[in-house]
Amino acid sequence: MAKKFSKTYVSRRSFIGTAAASAFTFNFFPKRVFGANDRIAFAGIGVGGKGSGDIDQAGNLGDVVALCDIDLTKLDAKGEKFAKAKKYKDFRKMLEEMHTEIDAVTISTPDHMHAPAGLLAMSLGKHVYCQKPLTHSVYEARRMGQVARQYKVATQMGNQGTASDGLRRGVEVIQSGAIGAVREVHVWTNRPVWPQAPSITARPNETPAIPNHVDWHLFLGVAPDRPYHNAYHPFKWRGWWDFGTGAIGDMSCHTANLAFMALNLGHPLSVEALDHGPINEETFPAWATTKTEFGARGAMPPLSYYWYEGKFPDGKKNLPPMDLFHGEKPTNSGSIIVGDKGILYSPNDYGSSWKLLPGDDFKDYEAPDAWIPRIGGGDQAMKNEWVEAMRGGKPALSNFDYASQMTESILLGNAALKAGGRIEWDSTRLQAKNMDISDIIQREYRPGWMA
């Protein structure tokens, strides 16, 4: 059994109050109700990389009034496009000074800062679009869903495959019973594609100077203090426990989305690390296979969900059993949903394309009439659907009710890797029945972020 991480615990009772209030106090202003012709004022938190596209797409639907990034090169570059937007390094200061001028925010920071930014924005009545995974920890995922409901804000998580016609049609096909009752799901990925174990298992010893354009204190945010190094910023943070969520967090919200949505996968009964590379306290393992058990959901039977990531020491890719592919060549990433009448095989990250196997059994199959709205697919469509929800339409399909529950279940895979065994899960109490993993479920925030 892998070494269990040392225990550090933060009062759950105190978390939301401190996370919402952050470093300042405020008076709550109700969120604005938008008419069809009203302009929406957006702010971007994290505007480089994926965040650049997110705020650009939001800007197509309203006015960008504020930009925030800890990297001044990214901030200044985006400021050239949105010249009227005020620029900030610290989202807390931005929301303190401009909360009456901002209607909605996009959040595209490293994983460890999603919840701190999202909880604060929602507590101020702001509508939130947050990149996947929704949070860094299981407890944060639960709180994001609760706070979204409390303040009745429109939300959307950025797993853009949700917008595709193919995924929505696949949900309908599975729910119509085409492949019968589903008792197994297998999902795999080509990640990691960033540095982590086995090549990196410890922090670098060098302490280079912090670049002038980077605010390292604000990059760390709620994470434990450590010296700056380019092994963390930019992008390489994904492979580190303190900042990222590894392959499970990075890609499950995409590649498992079709299965979670079609099969109403909510809170699991147990999660187990079946196999993995050596566990260290700094970076995610080189490979991992996890198994999550879900109970019956209405007429749907209990189900086993398997996740595969990484490569074994011999270079072989970690994949589901070959017989499940029915002669199809395994792709880099995909999912296999196993029913008692057949299999739905999706050969891509997003569930946007798929086929029914074995092919001869489904050659005359006709899909059911559509009942899920089609929105055209892609990142822009995700923002369009989010804005329609702000204007009084139906909730976006990857709203935080759905996304928070999905993220909880997914991140329990990482918890099982850290704990080194099988977690018997009590979703009501948000704790394991068979071990104390409170320090994994809810992390301690760095001093100054809990004051």
Side-chain angles (χ1 to χ4, degrees):
M1 180 176 292
K3 177 183 177 183
K4 189 175 184 299
F5 281 28
S6 61
K7 178 178 175 60
T8 53
Y9 182 70
V10 178
S11 165
R12 294 176 185 176
R13 179 179 300 172
S14 69
F15 174 82
I16 184 57
T18 53
S22 185
F24 58 87
T25 60
F26 57 86
N27 294 316
F28 175 70
F29 289 81
K31 62 184 179 298
R32 178 180 169 191
V33 177
F34 300 103
N37 298 318
D38 287 336
R39 299 289 292 180
I40 298 173
F42 294 99
I45 301 175
V47 296
K50 193 72 182 71
S52 175
D54 285 339
I55 194 60
D56 285 354
Q57 290 152 8
N60 292 333
L61 305 170
D63 301 316
V64 176
V65 299
L67 301 167
C68 181
D69 203 291
I70 62 90
D71 189 322
L72 295 182
T73 58
K74 306 296 184 184
L75 183 62
D76 289 342
K78 191 55 61 179
E80 292 180 5
K81 178 169 184 176
F82 299 108
K84 294 182 180 179
K86 295 181 181 179
K87 296 186 294 185
Y88 293 87
K89 294 189 297 180
D90 190 334
F91 66 81
R92 298 169 298 178
K93 184 177 180 181
M94 180 185 77
L95 290 170
E96 179 182 14
E97 293 182 355
M98 296 190 65
H99 62 82
T100 60
E101 302 171 57
I102 294 169
D103 300 313
V105 302
T106 62
I107 299 172
S108 313
T109 65
D111 298 350
H112 71 296
M113 294 304 292
H114 285 183
L119 290 170
L120 176 57
M122 290 189 293
S123 73
L124 288 166
K126 310 309 171 191
H127 306 286
V128 173
Y129 186 100
C130 185
Q131 268 305 321
K132 55 78 203 167
L134 190 61
T135 63
H136 187 266
S137 75
V138 172
Y139 178 70
E140 289 171 333
R142 177 68 59 94
R143 290 303 300 151
M144 288 281 268
Q146 291 173 337
V147 173
R149 289 189 294 274
Q150 178 182 353
Y151 290 98
K152 298 180 174 60
V153 291
T155 57
Q156 178 92 298
M157 181 173 71
N159 52 345
Q160 61 265 31
T162 306
S164 72
D165 291 354
L167 179 137
R168 295 178 182 219
R169 182 161 53 93
V171 170
E172 294 164 346
V173 166
I174 293 168
Q175 291 186 347
S176 72
I179 61 174
V182 175
R183 294 179 173 81
E184 279 187 24
V185 171
H186 300 260
V187 182
W188 65 101
T189 180
N190 67 336
R191 267 57 164 187
V193 293
W194 49 76
Q196 62 180 58
S199 59
I200 299 178
T201 59
R203 299 183 189 188
N205 292 321
E206 304 87 357
T207 55
I210 301 171
N212 291 334
H213 62 278
V214 172
D215 190 314
W216 182 240
H217 175 81
L218 291 176
F219 173 89
L220 288 173
V222 300
D225 195 13
R226 67 172 71 194
Y228 165 81
H229 198 281
N230 62 12
Y232 314 123
H233 172 79
F235 179 70
K236 296 175 185 178
W237 53 265
R238 288 194 180 279
W240 298 85
W241 287 109
D242 280 347
F243 308 127
T245 50
I248 286 178
D250 183 47
M251 292 309 296
S252 291
C253 290
H254 287 314
T255 317
N257 191 22
L258 173 57
F260 268 80
M261 192 168 290
L263 299 166
N264 298 327
L265 297 183
H267 299 297
L269 302 177
S270 67
V271 186
E272 183 177 5
L274 298 180
D275 185 29
H276 55 79
I279 300 293
N280 70 83
E281 293 196 4
E282 295 293 344
T283 63
F284 291 87
W287 78 89
T289 304
T290 63
K291 178 183 180 182
T292 305
E293 298 282 0
F294 293 91
R297 290 95 53 226
M300 295 181 180
L303 178 149
S304 298
Y305 163 79
Y306 297 87
W307 167 261
Y308 309 82
E309 66 178 65
K311 294 181 179 179
F312 301 114
D314 63 3
K316 185 178 179 181
K317 185 174 175 60
N318 190 10
L319 289 167
M322 288 300 102
D323 62 304
L324 295 175
F325 289 89
H326 286 269
E328 296 283 333
K329 183 179 179 180
T331 50
N332 283 336
S333 300
S335 63
I336 288 176
I337 299 171
V338 184
D340 56 19
K341 295 180 182 178
I343 284 174
L344 186 145
Y345 167 43
S346 175
N348 66 27
D349 283 332
Y350 304 117
S352 56
S353 65
W354 46 265
K355 59 180 67 177
L356 300 179
L357 303 174
D360 289 345
D361 292 357
F362 293 95
K363 60 184 179 181
D364 298 321
Y365 175 74
E366 294 185 10
D369 292 339
W371 67 76
I372 303 174
R374 305 303 199 254
I375 61 172
D379 259 1
Q380 183 64 63
M382 293 289 282
K383 313 307 188 298
N384 299 348
E385 188 179 49
W386 174 47
V387 168
E388 284 304 306
M390 292 185 215
R391 296 190 185 279
K394 293 181 178 179
L397 203 57
S398 196
N399 66 80
F400 288 2
D401 267 342
Y402 170 75
S404 64
Q405 190 163 279
M406 179 188 189
T407 302
E408 273 189 45
S409 297
I410 284 170
L411 294 184
L412 281 169
N414 280 337
L417 292 174
K418 281 189 174 184
R422 177 185 174 90
I423 297 171
E424 302 289 343
W425 186 240
D426 183 337
S427 63
T428 301
R429 297 177 181 272
L430 211 65
Q431 64 186 29
K433 300 176 182 178
N434 59 327
M435 63 178 80
D436 179 10
I437 56 170
S438 56
D439 56 329
I440 299 173
I441 299 307
Q442 181 186 355
R443 63 202 169 123
E444 183 174 6
Y445 278 11
R446 190 161 62 100
W449 290 85
M450 292 295 292

